[in-house]
Amino acid sequence: MIGKETPAIKYDRALTLFQESVIAPDHKLRGCAHNQGCYDELMEIREHVLEYLKTLREVTHHTNADESDEIETAKLMQAKVMTYEWKAD
C-alpha cells in the first residue's frame, strides 16, 4: 500500500528509517573517529540525535490535536531543553 498512506504515516516511516541509519554501526566512520581522537564526541552526538528523533516522533503529527496536546508538547520540549542544559554542564 505504499503511496496511499497519510503524510503522518510516511513521516513516521522516514523517522524510523533515519533512526535505523543512526543506530546502525558504521565501522569505517567509527574507525575514522578513533584515528582522529573524537570517538567519544561522535558517540555523544549520536545520542543527542537519537534523543532529538524521539522528540520529533513525540511532537509531530498529532491527530485530532487539542489544547492538552499543545500543553504536553510544550512540557516535553522544556524537559528536553533542561536535560540538554544539564548534560552540557
Side-chain angles (χ1 to χ4, degrees):
M1 186 156 125
I2 294 176
K4 303 211 185 267
E5 295 92 351
T6 65
I9 291 172
K10 290 179 181 181
Y11 190 88
D12 188 64
R13 183 182 304 129
L15 277 176
T16 299
L17 290 170
F18 189 78
Q19 184 177 28
E20 288 175 10
S21 75
V22 173
I23 291 171
D26 182 335
H27 301 293
K28 184 176 178 181
L29 179 68
R30 292 178 184 189
C32 288
H34 275 294
N35 292 339
Q36 296 178 32
C38 61
Y39 178 82
D40 292 338
E41 291 79 4
L42 178 66
M43 293 297 103
E44 179 182 344
I45 292 167
R46 177 182 176 270
E47 288 304 314
H48 288 300
V49 169
L50 290 171
E51 286 300 315
Y52 178 67
L53 291 173
K54 287 180 194 175
T55 301
L56 279 178
R57 189 176 308 282
E58 292 166 353
V59 301
T60 305
H61 294 295
H62 287 297
T63 56
N64 300 318
D66 60 14
E67 185 179 356
S68 66
D69 290 321
E70 292 175 16
I71 292 168
E72 289 305 312
T73 297
K75 286 181 187 175
L76 177 64
M77 294 306 291
Q78 182 60 34
K80 298 290 183 183
V81 168
M82 291 173 57
T83 300
Y84 177 75
E85 289 172 351
W86 176 76
K87 286 182 179 180
D89 291 339

